[in-house]
Amino acid sequence: MRAVIQRVTHASVTIDGVVKGKIGQGFLVLFGAGEGDTPAQAELLAKKTAGMRIFCDDEGRMNRSLADVGGSVLVISQFTLYADCRRGNRPSFTGAGDPSAANELYEYYVKLLRETHHIADVQTGEFGAHMKVELLNDGPVTILLDSEELERPRRA
């Protein structure tokens, strides 16, 4: 499971000319589920997302979380995070999860952010839809979370 977290001043998603989700300060999260990903991995990613301290404190250090700044989250499903570009120029997406299972994990991740991690404003796109995403990246700060990397033991 992968999540690209972008610290934003604002972000929105539009589907068929209609704004589906819109946030102010917070995170735009591009979320992708891979083949064989599990609810436990979604729990790990949600916990890391909610606790990520990438907003600046009074001294200019990235030391504040979403809760600290009253931030919002816009979550966009994005199977293209599993693009395999090793052969040729057209990416393969065989590593992306089955759409039905991936949608369940996407919905579960969003639910965890709202209910378990108490983020009051969590907006979403629409799984599988063609979306127009607009954002103003703040910093820019962009963090890649990969459940395989997070589960791997750290070296001493």
Side-chain angles (χ1 to χ4, degrees), residues 102-122:
N103 187 33
E104 285 182 26
L105 290 168
Y106 167 74
E107 294 292 339
Y108 185 50
Y109 173 81
V110 169
K111 180 180 177 178
L112 289 165
L113 292 175
R114 288 178 177 146
E115 297 177 9
T116 303
H117 300 289
H118 310 290
I119 299 171
D121 186 19
V122 179

Side-chain angles (χ1 to χ4, degrees), residues 62-113:
M62 287 195 283
N63 202 25
R64 290 189 174 150
S65 68
L66 278 169
D68 295 332
V69 299
S72 302
V73 180
L74 175 59
V75 184
I76 305 296
S77 63
Q78 188 152 1
F79 77 95
T80 60
L81 293 178
Y82 279 87
D84 182 346
C85 301
R86 292 177 290 180
R87 296 181 61 196
N89 293 320
R90 189 175 77 192
S92 167
F93 300 102
T94 57
D98 167 76
S100 178
N103 187 33
E104 285 182 26
L105 290 168
Y106 167 74
E107 294 292 339
Y108 185 50
Y109 173 81
V110 169
K111 180 180 177 178
L112 289 165
L113 292 175

Side-chain angles (χ1 to χ4, degrees), residues 121-136:
D121 186 19
V122 179
Q123 303 285 315
T124 65
E126 183 179 314
F127 188 89
H130 183 90
M131 298 174 270
K132 306 282 187 191
V133 179
E134 294 186 48
L135 68 137
L136 182 57

